[in-house]
Amino acid sequence: MAPRRAHGMDVVGFEGGSGYTRCCVPSGDCLRAQQQFGTNPGEDPMAIALDDLRDTVRVTCNNELCTAGRYMHRECFEQWEQTVLAYLKTCGRARSWSERQRHQNLWTKKGYDLAYKACGCKCGRGHLKKDLDWMPPPPTSNIFGRIEEMDGLNSKKKKRRNRNSKPSLTIASVGPLIDSRTRTGSLSCSSSGSSSPPASSSEPSVSPVHGSHLKKKSKIDFPERIRLTGGANGIFTRRLDFSSFNTLPKNKLNSYQIKTEDEGNHGNDDTRCFILSTLASQGRPKVHCILCEEQLLVFDRYPLIDGTFFLSPRQHAKSCIEVKVEGRTQFLTVVCMACLEGVNGRTILCRFCNQKWDGSSLILGSMYSYDIFAAMPCCTERIKCNSCYKPVLHPSQRLNFFSDYSHMVPCPHCRTLDTHFVKPLSFCFTRHMSQSSILWP
């Protein structure tokens, strides 16, 4: 049957009235066609059923007259995405990004403006972009038995999980869920518990929002490789739901903004083991935010906290825990989610230029390997020598990586070697509450 056009897509009409489109992957043939998916000689392996889009990714073309289609099989999209990432690696400022950062930034304005030339559509007149606002709708009908097959498979997996007694977390139905697909989106510092030290990171780590949107009344099954206690003697809380994150804007409820999975094999995530073993050795199942002093529970799995940890060469408060990282003394420090977002009157302002400090783009539930307050100096006062009070950098100069601002550097004037950009919070900031501004703390 000849294809018919509908809504800017190639839609194929099959007997029975079901609507289909074809995989619009622009780089070569659809993987399913190459692998000869489908045993029915009359079945098109590139076909995508419009009433069962669970295993697809939607893209948009900036050519309003495009008829090449809007959907790709997930495996086709992921392979094509790798070619775009390879192109991004050669572009401008993206050359200094890590693989993780390129993956984070690709479909946001920050990365797409550099990589769009590698995203040409099959229509030949536009460029494709992943639709970050789209989530697959639930299937509406029986598509050649596929739904029943998937249900059977899910049932088998569920029984297998029950036999193995592997834990799963049910999310509170009062809000959306965090997508727990394996990702490379969050920045984590490699770490040491009481044993091996974290590998230093020199990567910028402000995380753009990136990830799929979320469903309600679903379940997140944590990967089987994640250990129950993470070597932390079982003193930490088991997170029962993610309802504490419901206060965030909906566009932040994704697995790139909130860290949900281990990145190491068999649950040996270095960052998680470092944090939990450090706190366990101190007997601390709870920590304090250095800004508002609110007490926060520490959880045994990601997200480890309703906020973020970071390492600083300066002890900003007595609650900060001294650790050794690659032979250097650092302090494990915490900021809660409300202070990062600046809600409930928790606005933090620079004392010198009155600019707001904004931590809302930082990844929640994990740890940064540098001082997040020093990483983005807003004015000349923030880059002055701690000894002679002359600028260590030219006002228009910026270091390559956020972590560079936490390193020891020599002053070009008095030659004093110090972490000049990491200053006491009371020196840099005031807390704005209601209509008055008071000195920190």
Side-chain angles (χ1 to χ4, degrees), residues 232-412:
N233 301 326
I235 71 170
F236 301 107
T237 303
R238 172 60 49 85
R239 191 185 288 273
L240 299 179
D241 59 50
F242 291 85
S243 58
S244 60
F245 296 104
N246 289 341
T247 57
L248 293 172
K250 289 184 178 180
N251 65 337
K252 292 187 178 182
L253 295 174
N254 59 71
S255 58
Y256 290 90
Q257 195 72 21
I258 304 171
K259 185 169 176 62
T260 59
E261 290 191 3
D262 275 0
E263 293 189 10
N265 294 326
H266 311 295
N268 293 327
D269 186 286
D270 290 339
T271 302
R272 183 169 70 94
C273 291
F274 167 64
I275 294 172
L276 297 186
S277 59
T278 297
L279 296 176
S281 67
Q282 300 271 333
R284 296 197 190 186
K286 298 179 181 179
V287 291
H288 291 83
C289 171
I290 58 166
L291 299 183
C292 67
E293 299 184 356
E294 180 181 346
Q295 192 174 66
L296 302 171
L297 286 172
V298 178
F299 298 92
D300 60 354
R301 296 177 177 178
Y302 287 122
L304 297 176
I305 195 172
D306 294 347
T308 192
F309 290 94
F310 69 92
L311 294 176
S312 174
R314 179 180 293 274
Q315 187 174 21
H316 289 297
K318 291 182 180 179
S319 61
C320 303
I321 302 174
E322 182 176 337
V323 293
K324 287 289 184 180
V325 180
E326 296 184 336
R328 294 186 301 155
T329 298
Q330 301 278 337
F331 294 90
L332 184 62
T333 313
V334 176
V335 181
C336 72
M337 182 169 65
C339 288
L340 291 172
E341 295 288 326
V343 299
N344 300 329
R346 304 190 189 192
T347 303
I348 309 302
L349 302 177
C350 174
R351 289 184 58 203
F352 308 104
C353 67
N354 210 41
Q355 182 171 323
K356 177 184 175 180
W357 180 82
D358 184 10
S360 61
S361 60
L362 299 176
I363 297 168
L364 299 174
S366 186
M367 183 181 75
Y368 286 84
S369 60
Y370 55 82
D371 192 303
I372 59 177
F373 293 99
M376 293 175 281
C378 53
C379 60
T380 305
E381 295 295 327
R382 302 280 302 280
I383 59 175
K384 286 185 176 180
C385 171
N386 288 336
S387 179
C388 69
Y389 305 108
K390 294 181 180 179
V392 177
L393 301 174
H394 187 275
S396 62
Q397 183 182 358
R398 287 293 178 265
L399 301 180
N400 290 330
F401 303 109
F402 292 163
S403 59
D404 290 345
Y405 291 96
S406 295
H407 293 166
M408 301 274 287
V409 294
C411 171

